[in-house]
Every structure is written in structure tokens, then in C-alpha cells.
Amino acid sequence: MRYEFRVAGLVSPALAEAFPELARASVPEQSLFHGAVTDEAHLYGLLLRFQSVGLRVVELRQLPDPASGGGGG
């Protein structure tokens, strides 16, 4: 499964290193992290890690699996 985490504020590259398994992009006043999440324990672990470094997740969503082509039909 792939997820996107939308975080309040702009996250520095140094702080983003706490999430080596996720890619990061910046949008106005927010940072987006996205990547593969192996299971529910990994998902909750990521949420706890965001909280432990002082980041507030404002949105979480599951992304379509790129292997499925993402198309509806």
C-alpha cells in the first residue's frame, strides 16, 4: 500500500531524514511525504514518528498502487 502524509509547515531536509522510507515534496505552507507502507503497524509507527519529532499530520490518504495502473474502468 502507498500512502501520502500531508504535514503542517515546511519540513527541513534534516528533519525529513527521520523518514528515510518516504519521499518528500513541499507545497505552500505544507510538506507532503509519500511512499510504501508495509502494514498497519508500519502506518501507526510512521504516525507516532511524525508526532515524536513535533510534526502535525493534517491529512492522510491511501494512494493508488502504481502496479494497478491507477485507472478505473
Side-chain angles (χ1 to χ4, degrees), residues 6-61:
R6 187 174 292 260
V7 175
L10 299 177
V11 176
S12 71
L15 189 54
E17 289 179 11
F19 305 92
E21 68 269 63
L22 300 176
R24 179 180 57 97
S26 295
V27 296
E29 300 180 23
Q30 295 181 332
S31 296
L32 302 177
F33 289 84
H34 56 89
V37 175
T38 55
D39 56 21
E40 194 172 286
H42 186 201
L43 176 62
Y44 286 114
L46 285 166
L47 291 171
L48 284 172
R49 204 178 325 157
F50 280 113
Q51 184 179 29
S52 73
V53 298
L55 298 175
R56 184 170 60 94
V57 175
V58 296
E59 183 180 1
L60 165 67
R61 65 184 183 118

Side-chain angles (χ1 to χ4, degrees), residues 2 63-73:
R2 292 179 45 79
L63 300 173
D65 183 0
S68 70

